Amino acid sequence: MTGQHKGPDLNRLIIVANRVPNPRERGATAGGLAVALREAIAHRQALWFGWSGQTAEATAAAPAETRQGRLTYATLDLGEEDYRRYYRGFANATLWPTLHYRLGLAQFSREDYIGYRKVNAAFAAALAPLLRPSDLVWAHDFHLFPLGSELRRQGCRQRLGFFLHVPFPPYGLFSALPRSGELITDLAAYDVIGVQTEDDAANLRAALIAENQPEAATRVAAYPIGINAEGFTALAERAILGQETARFRQSLVGRALVIGVDRLDYTKGLPQRFCGYGQLLARFRQHLSRVTYLQVAPVSRGDVAEYRSLRKELDEWVGRINGQQAEPDWVPLRYMTRAVSRPTLAGFMRLARVGLVTPLRDGMNLVAKEYVAAQDPEDPGALVLSRFAGAAPQLPGALLVNPLDPDEIAEALDQALTMPREERLARWRPMAEEGRASGARAWCLSFIAALEGGG
Ligand code: ADQ
């Protein structure tokens, strides 16, 4: 980056997301989106608008604002009832499973849907008075399908963009969701409609056409999200020299490490993955006592029933695998449900001979990209990746698996664990180059260029 500030010439960027990062959380502890956006918008005025993460008796009408240089954070507390209906209900218990092709897990309640629309309308009403005519508005993710149309209802004429971080399923599946036609029609209010992959783009275009929005279908494009690969590499290089990684390495006593890092979510394919690892130990006996699998899976959405039962299921898998296979001096599967800091994760990923990333569906999956970025260029590990992760087309050097087939996972793990260094290098190098070329910053800038009307 040059030090030239072109701030005054650039339109102000308004980022709207369900969650707004804590202004005090910087660098290593902040979430990926926050880091990506912060870097890309460093030279322009920006306003980050959304939920504060706090609940109150009623949803606030006007946001609380915090300024930090060129960036202003404006956040609203949500009323308890709105939180339950909009966030826990329609966003997490209805849209999340549906968009991940899991219609069977989706619950629909008309009250939740009304609550979801109500919060989108409240966001729009609170945001509209803050907007200037030349602002660019960029709304993020499935919490905000109706935000654009609500802003238009408030009389906003600004350029509006929407980016969906999760998959968009085929229309036949999505249209089974009650009121889905309204949600698709809402998207037509946006000038730029971004998704992660070409498959998602094709699905969303077909949905818009089916709902009589053929013109809006032409505004859909894929903008695959990336990570700050150089930053993550540097983090891993530093962490590998630190005490925490050294202690962990010592505990492995020379065994090959397989690593998995995911939020504890039913889309991540964890039971099938554990079963696959169990199959590796049962079928490929040469790995007994020679491999350790560390799964880090911090609990998310612990108040939703599906997540509680998933946790129980995983506890059972861990007990079964370790109970059947462990030796007095070997625990085959180490499993942690508490969060681990990004530097520590980066160091652990660099240590790992295999990155195991097998979501049943995933918009992109940044962990796969982080694993590639964390590797030692002289002796990189191998990546086992679900073909249903949005990242799969961008990571051709990975061993692609069907995450529903534990035997296929076991076979890929065996191949990864026994892969010669030359092959690991040949697979890893192009992925690492691609990761650096299509990073978070490039993603942001290409979306913003489209929003400005130039892309
Ligand atoms: P997520 O479903 O959260 O994101 P992912 O893309 O893997 O999935 O990003 C998770 C981020 O959280 C990564 O940066 C990862 O390192 C971090 N993380 C995961 N587990 C962690 C742990 N145990 N401790 C600390 N950090 C952890 C959604 C979509 C994805 C899409 C992203 C970005 O579901 O498909 O790739 O948004 O668009």
Side-chain angles (χ1 to χ4, degrees):
M1 289 293 309
T2 68
Q4 286 173 8
H5 288 200
K6 295 195 292 178
D9 305 322
L10 298 170
N11 303 14
R12 186 171 71 147
L13 184 68
I14 313 296
I15 300 153
V16 192
N18 173 59
R19 284 302 297 276
V20 172
N22 182 338
R24 284 182 296 277
E25 253 182 329
R26 294 198 65 90
T29 57
L33 177 64
V35 174
L37 286 168
R38 202 175 277 144
E39 283 175 13
I41 63 181
H43 298 311
R44 56 168 88 219
Q45 299 285 338
L47 171 71
W48 196 312
F49 181 95
W51 177 34
S52 62
Q54 306 291 320
T55 56
E57 209 166 300
T59 296
E65 294 188 34
T66 314
R67 279 197 70 119
Q68 203 177 67
R70 293 161 173 267
L71 184 57
T72 303
Y73 297 91
T75 59
L76 286 181
D77 291 351
L78 282 181
E80 293 284 354
E81 167 91 4
D82 287 344
Y83 163 77
R84 263 203 317 280
R85 301 228 171 268
Y86 148 82
Y87 180 70
R88 237 173 61 186
F90 197 71
N92 283 346
T94 311
L95 277 177
W96 176 265
T98 305
L99 291 165
H100 286 90
Y101 296 59
R102 303 292 292 278
L103 210 44
L105 292 178
Q107 300 154 20
F108 181 82
S109 119
R110 193 171 289 183
E111 287 78 15
D112 285 355
Y113 178 67
I114 290 167
Y116 172 82
R117 296 207 71 91
K118 184 180 156 211
V119 168
N120 271 269
F123 275 12
L127 177 59
L130 307 181
L131 294 181
R132 302 171 194 154
S134 62
D135 284 348
L136 303 169
V137 180
W138 185 3
H140 287 264
D141 229 358
F142 59 98
H143 311 88
L144 301 175
F145 275 76
L147 184 85
S149 64
E150 293 295 344
L151 284 171
R152 295 284 184 237
R153 206 160 288 149
Q154 294 282 335
C156 298
R157 296 278 160 269
Q158 287 81 359
R159 297 270 296 170
L160 303 180
F162 175 81
F163 183 78
L164 185 65
H165 289 258
V166 300
F168 192 86
Y171 178 66
L173 193 159
F174 190 71
S175 61
L177 175 68
R179 316 298 279 269
S180 55
E182 291 174 8
L183 295 172
I184 291 169
T185 308
D186 281 329
L187 287 182
Y190 291 105
D191 299 292
V192 178
I193 307 167
V195 288
Q196 300 272 25
T197 69
E198 292 300 339
D199 280 354
D200 299 323
N203 289 339
L204 185 49
R205 283 188 204 112
L208 282 159
I209 290 165
E211 295 293 341
N212 293 319
Q213 303 292 337
E215 195 277 320
T218 66
R219 288 180 254 138
V220 175
Y223 301 85
I225 195 169
I227 60 163
N228 171 358
E230 286 91 352
F232 204 80
T233 304
L235 215 55
E237 281 169 354
R238 265 200 308 279
I240 200 84
L241 304 171
Q243 265 188 6
E244 200 160 3
T245 314
R247 269 211 322 273
F248 181 44
R249 190 207 300 263
Q250 243 171 25
S251 78
L252 296 172
V253 288
R255 293 182 173 111
L257 175 66
V258 174
I259 195 164
V261 175
D262 310 74
R263 278 185 307 102
L264 205 154
D265 191 290
Y266 54 74
T267 62
K268 302 292 182 186
L270 291 166
Q272 293 85 348
R273 192 185 303 176
F274 284 8
C275 180
Y277 181 67
Q279 290 292 84
L280 172 85
L281 302 179
R283 284 179 49 200
F284 300 91
R285 310 289 290 172
Q286 67 273 27
H287 298 297
L288 286 181
S289 201
R290 299 226 168 87
V291 62
T292 296
Y293 168 22
L294 172 69
Q295 176 65 49
V296 185
V299 175
S300 77
R301 303 174 195 172
D303 49 358
V304 177
E306 278 71 26
Y307 290 76
R308 282 197 300 270
S309 64
L310 171 66
R311 198 169 171 187
K312 189 157 171 283
E313 191 183 352
L314 294 176
D315 287 350
E316 286 166 9
W317 269 114
V318 177
R320 199 173 307 142
I321 290 171
N322 284 335
Q324 281 173 1
Q325 306 285 5
E327 299 286 340
D329 62 347
W330 174 54
V331 179
L333 171 49
R334 302 186 191 178
Y335 172 56
M336 298 168 59
T337 56
R338 68 174 170 76
V340 173
S341 75
R342 281 180 76 70
T344 302
L345 276 183
F348 289 3
M349 284 184 189
R350 195 175 177 97
L351 262 191
R353 172 47 47 97
V354 182
L356 185 54
V357 186
T358 58
L360 304 180
R361 285 283 159 188
D362 220 327
M364 178 54 60
N365 195 293
L366 298 180
V367 172
K369 295 188 172 187
E370 289 166 355
Y371 178 76
V372 169
Q375 296 312 295
D376 177 352
E378 299 302 315
D379 190 18
L383 177 64
V384 174
L385 178 63
S386 162
R387 68 165 72 142
F388 303 128
Q394 295 185 305
L395 297 169
L399 298 172
L400 291 185
V401 295
N402 184 325
L404 287 166
D405 185 350
D407 280 300
E408 213 175 300
I409 293 174
E411 285 150 14
L413 277 174
D414 174 58
Q415 193 185 339
L417 285 163
T418 54
M419 192 182 285
R421 179 170 164 272
E422 284 313 309
E423 185 180 346
R424 281 186 275 121
L425 276 167
R427 286 174 174 271
W428 175 79
R429 271 196 198 118
M431 295 198 288
E433 273 163 32
E434 165 72 18
R436 282 192 295 272
S438 57
R441 195 160 173 275
W443 169 75
C444 273
L445 293 178
S446 71
F447 191 93
I448 293 169
L451 196 49
E452 281 170 328

